[in-house]
Amino acid sequence: MRVEKITTATAKDLLTRGNADLLRTAAVGIVGSRKASLKGVGAAQDCAGQLARLGVTVVSGYANGIDLASHKAALDAGGATILVLAEGIERFRLKREIEAAWDWERALVVSEYPPNAAWSVKQAMQRNGTICDLSRAVIVAEAQRNSGTMNTVRLCLKMKLPLFVVTYENMED
């Protein structure tokens, strides 16, 4: 799969691999904890599946937990997904958890970093802004108090992007 360079509406240069047409679709970000509870994962899967069936592209990072659950659910529902990396695009490897559902026609991998850049916390925080940039709204499936997810929440509020937070009984702190 060929890597292409594109510039987003917010003037970010992104390296892409996959179906770049997905950048022109209605998209909603789903974010949350790497170490999510079963309820949080279930909420992410439900939201992603419903959005996919409505023709909305799901946007998320590529971490374990909420991110992977969202991508897989969107693909399993026949929908599309955009994976936003916190590392260079040449470091992308398809994770076993989503391999069976993967379809390059319904998926796009993007990175704003040099092709071989290693993952870093700083880049993960910056990547959260890219998730917001590519989304018309963001859903928080589950978050820890001090986390990258809360960074995304602050970015959404600053950008005046619609923000939805999943709540359920007996939520863990």
Side-chain angles (χ1 to χ4, degrees):
M1 184 66 41
R2 194 174 98 208
V3 173
E4 295 181 36
K5 182 178 178 180
I6 61 139
T7 302
T8 67
T10 58
K12 272 190 186 172
D13 287 334
L14 298 177
L15 295 177
T16 67
R17 182 175 282 157
N19 185 352
D21 290 339
L22 295 177
L23 293 170
R24 290 184 284 284
T25 63
V28 170
I30 301 178
V31 298
S33 179
R34 284 181 167 85
K35 296 178 182 178
S37 68
L38 290 176
K39 284 184 181 180
V41 168
Q45 291 169 327
D46 184 40
C47 291
Q50 287 188 53
L51 288 166
R53 285 187 288 279
L54 291 170
V56 176
T57 299
V58 170
V59 180
S60 195
Y62 195 44
N64 293 325
I66 298 302
D67 295 358
L68 269 182
S70 299
H71 294 304
K72 184 175 183 323
L75 292 167
D76 284 346
T81 194
I82 299 174
L83 292 77
V84 184
L85 302 179
E87 61 190 351
I89 200 154
E90 294 299 332
R91 292 183 171 263
F92 172 74
R93 301 292 178 268
L94 193 56
K95 293 183 180 179
R96 180 179 37 86
E97 296 87 346
I98 62 172
E99 194 171 22
W102 194 257
D103 176 358
W104 281 107
E105 290 298 313
R106 297 184 295 121
L108 179 66
V109 179
V110 303
S111 173
E112 62 195 275
Y113 305 107
N116 288 301
W119 186 95
S120 74
V121 172
K122 180 182 176 187
Q123 289 172 185
M125 294 301 123
Q126 186 175 331
R127 176 263 337 255
N128 295 338
T130 302
I131 292 170
C132 294
D133 286 344
L134 299 177
S135 303
R136 293 188 183 174
V138 172
I139 298 170
V140 177
E142 185 173 279
Q144 306 302 318
R145 273 193 168 77
N146 297 314
S147 63
T149 303
M150 292 308 294
N151 171 259
T152 308
V153 167
R154 286 186 290 278
L155 290 169
C156 286
L157 294 173
K158 184 177 178 180
M159 296 169 69
K160 297 184 175 23
L161 191 64
L163 178 66
F164 302 90
V165 179
V166 174
T167 60
Y168 46 85
E169 289 185 30
N170 302 320
M171 289 183 77
E172 299 173 15
D173 280 343

